[in-house]
Amino acid sequence: MKKISCSIAQTWITAYVDGSLDAKSRYSLEHHLLYCPQCRSVHVATAGLLSRLKEDVPSEPGETFWRQYDSSLNALLREKEIDRDRSELSWNVVPPALAAFALILAFGLGLVSRLSVPTRSLDTLSPQVVEELDRLYGPSLEEEISLRGGGLTIAAANCDPLGDDAIVPWFEVEEDAYHFPQWDQTSGPTDRQSSRRLDGRVASLDKIGSALRQDVPHRPECKQRLDASLPRS
Amino acid sequence: MKDEELVKQFRNGSKEAFGELVRRHSRPLAMMILRIVRDEEETRDISQSVFLRAYEAIPRFMMASSFKTWLYSIALNAVRDHLKRRSPVIACDAPDELPDPSQTPAEQLEKAHQYAALRKLVEELPMKQRLTLQLRLYEGMDYTEIAQVLGGTAAGARSNFFHAVKTLRGQVKSNHEKD
């Protein structure tokens, strides 16, 4: 057995009392304590201290405490779960909301660009582009003809009297005041006190056709094309 | 079912899994906190904040240690923060346990004073020594576990325990000599 000094013995005493000293060291220490009163007093003091510390523990709270503790903890966690569910829900809503917003934005931008195209300067565009724009958005100024008859003034686009293959893909109708009583039987405008433009695409094509045929005898090429392209009433 | 399995279930959306973890650990954790802070109201507040933190942090729990160790390390951080903020407890607190009927009132009073004085000395220890001492004595943790929950090494935890006991022993002796 290895003899140990007091300083080593006193270093080991805490671990010895604590129960964490290995067997060999424990044996050496116990032997040392047998003949060393100074280290023995340190051992007694340490054992007393740890014993008092272990004794001085708060007693377990009563059932009332645990009931309140459990219920308030459960309530807090439920609240937390609700918060988490809400946050997950809002994250689930974000992508569709963004998609809807993007769609609305695209539609809005499309509408704006559609409305703004006819105001662009056509001089800078090639004839093919002008023709395509006319087909889509309306007439270029040179190709517009104005026809009157039956209480309507019809501005027809691409009804070219020189005879290319344009038909009437776009037209505007102005309703003359106090005329064209047929509108009363249709879903057409009822305020005939005013004269205004109608979008040709919502007017009945056969009405437009008959009005145009009635008023284009001085433009036979245009009439021919109207006969070919517009329905007869 | 193991704690780690419940953690996985909770991560996969099972709310009941976290409820089960709370049921398993809430009382032992509260008792550990109570033994350190010695106040039921504060224990309740700290313990609740620990479970709320765990609820939020569980997606980041890497499972490098056991769930219990991870939970206790959150708790001890909260306790440490709390003790730093809290003003020291008055030394003449009454003892927490019931009086020993075999002792006279004078002896009981003397013992109460001894406990209160000892508690004050423990509170004055450096935080890591204090927590190491309390985890070792009250929770029966070994030094490896203490190192895991408080940070550091097992040898460091052992050293902290040794220094805490040595300091207390010296101060108790010096108080005794003054009396």
Side-chain angles (χ1 to χ4, degrees):
Chain A
M1 185 192 56
K2 188 182 166 189
K3 281 197 170 184
I4 54 170
S5 65
C6 286
S7 65
I8 290 178
Q10 285 174 22
T11 309
W12 287 357
I13 282 172
T14 302
Y16 175 71
V17 174
D18 178 48
S20 58
L21 196 66
D22 63 84
K24 202 174 160 189
S25 306
R26 194 166 63 236
Y27 186 67
S28 299
L29 178 63
E30 281 170 351
H31 187 260
H32 179 87
L33 290 176
L34 279 176
Y35 65 84
C36 179
Q38 195 187 348
C39 288
R40 229 177 10 250
S41 73
V42 172
H43 170 247
V44 169
T46 306
L49 173 72
L50 292 182
S51 159
R52 278 205 304 282
L53 283 169
K54 278 182 184 169
E55 277 173 18
D56 185 30
V57 288
S59 48
E60 186 155 339
E63 204 43 49
T64 314
F65 170 84
W66 289 119
R67 257 202 312 278
Q68 287 174 353
Y69 172 80
D70 288 341
S71 68
S72 57
L73 182 57
N74 287 335
L76 270 174
L77 290 172
R78 267 200 305 278
E79 208 173 288
K80 203 78 187 161
E81 279 170 6
I82 290 168
D83 285 351
R84 192 174 79 152
D85 289 347
R86 271 194 201 132
S87 126
E88 278 177 3
L89 184 68
S90 61
W91 278 109
N92 289 341
V93 165
V94 166
L98 280 176
F101 177 72
L103 205 64
I104 290 167
L105 193 67
F107 179 74
L109 287 174
L111 202 64
V112 166
S113 65
R114 184 185 170 89
L115 292 173
S116 65
V117 164
T119 65
R120 291 174 62 185
S121 167
L122 299 179
D123 301 339
T124 57
L125 301 173
S126 73
Q128 288 83 1
V129 173
V130 171
E131 191 179 328
E132 184 63 18
L133 287 173
D134 283 349
R135 195 178 63 74
L136 290 171
Y137 298 115
S140 60
L141 293 174
E142 299 91 330
E143 292 165 340
E144 191 173 293
I145 59 168
S146 185
L147 306 166
R148 291 178 68 85
L152 295 175
T153 298
I154 300 165
N158 291 341
C159 186
D160 187 351
L162 296 176
D164 65 13
D165 58 356
I167 53 167
V168 187
W170 186 95
F171 50 84
E172 287 177 336
V173 180
E174 280 189 7
E175 182 194 8
D176 295 346
Y178 308 111
H179 286 86
F180 212 62
Q182 295 96 306
W183 287 120
D184 290 339
Q185 283 89 46
T186 67
S187 57
T190 54
D191 180 11
R192 288 184 280 112
Q193 297 300 314
S194 61
S195 177
R196 58 189 146 157
R197 287 194 159 203
L198 306 171
D199 184 345
R201 273 161 289 212
V202 298
S204 159
L205 273 180
D206 59 356
K207 283 175 189 163
I208 301 301
S210 59
L212 284 170
R213 280 183 200 97
Q214 193 183 331
D215 289 299
V216 294
H218 58 290
R219 293 172 187 264
E221 302 91 346
C222 187
K223 189 171 186 302
Q224 269 180 355
R225 266 176 224 100
L226 284 171
D227 286 343
S229 59
L230 292 174
R232 288 178 180 280
S233 55
Chain B
M1 189 183 289
K2 284 184 174 176
D3 285 352
E4 285 65 31
E5 193 56 41
L6 289 169
V7 169
K8 281 181 193 162
Q9 285 187 9
F10 176 66
R11 282 174 170 175
N12 291 332
S14 165
K15 290 171 187 169
E16 294 73 28
F18 192 78
E20 178 57 27
L21 286 169
V22 171
R23 267 189 296 281
R24 283 184 190 182
H25 294 286
S26 63
R27 291 195 180 194
L29 184 93
M31 280 310 297
M32 186 270 282
I33 296 169
L34 179 64
R35 283 190 278 265
I36 298 174
V37 303
R38 292 173 180 274
D39 183 288
E40 291 186 2
E41 206 61 40
E42 291 174 9
T43 296
R44 183 162 39 217
D45 291 346
I46 295 169
S47 178
Q48 286 172 351
S49 78
V50 168
F51 279 107
L52 290 181
R53 279 187 216 178
Y55 187 94
E56 285 171 354
I58 216 166
R60 298 189 294 279
F61 172 43
M62 307 295 283
M63 299 212 203
S65 60
S66 70
F67 175 76
K68 184 186 169 189
T69 302
W70 179 72
L71 187 68
Y72 275 51
S73 64
I74 295 176
L76 286 163
N77 274 333
V79 166
R80 216 184 322 222
D81 291 345
H82 176 81
L83 292 176
K84 279 178 191 164
R85 281 197 307 271
R86 185 173 81 171
S87 52
V89 174
I90 299 162
C92 60
D93 275 351
D96 292 309
E97 69 272 20
L98 294 169
D100 183 351
S102 67
Q103 292 178 325
T104 64
E107 283 169 342
Q108 286 172 17
L109 192 62
E110 172 60 25
K111 198 175 174 184
H113 280 298
Q114 279 180 7
Y115 282 142
L118 196 54
R119 244 176 268 162
K120 188 169 184 295
L121 292 177
V122 170
E123 283 177 16
E124 286 169 357
L125 287 171
M127 186 63 79
K128 209 154 186 178
Q129 287 183 22
R130 172 184 177 179
L131 293 177
T132 302
L133 181 82
Q134 289 173 317
L135 291 174
R136 179 79 185 139
L137 292 182
Y138 303 143
E139 307 309 315
M141 286 187 183
D142 62 35
Y143 295 116
T144 308
E145 287 174 310
I146 293 171
Q148 282 176 341
V149 294
L150 288 182
T153 60
R158 184 188 291 272
S159 168
N160 281 328
F161 183 75
F162 172 81
H163 284 294
V165 173
K166 192 180 173 191
T167 306
L168 289 177
R169 196 171 55 208
Q171 287 179 329
V172 167
K173 190 180 173 194
S174 121
N175 284 357
H176 191 69
E177 281 165 2
K178 277 183 205 164
D179 292 342

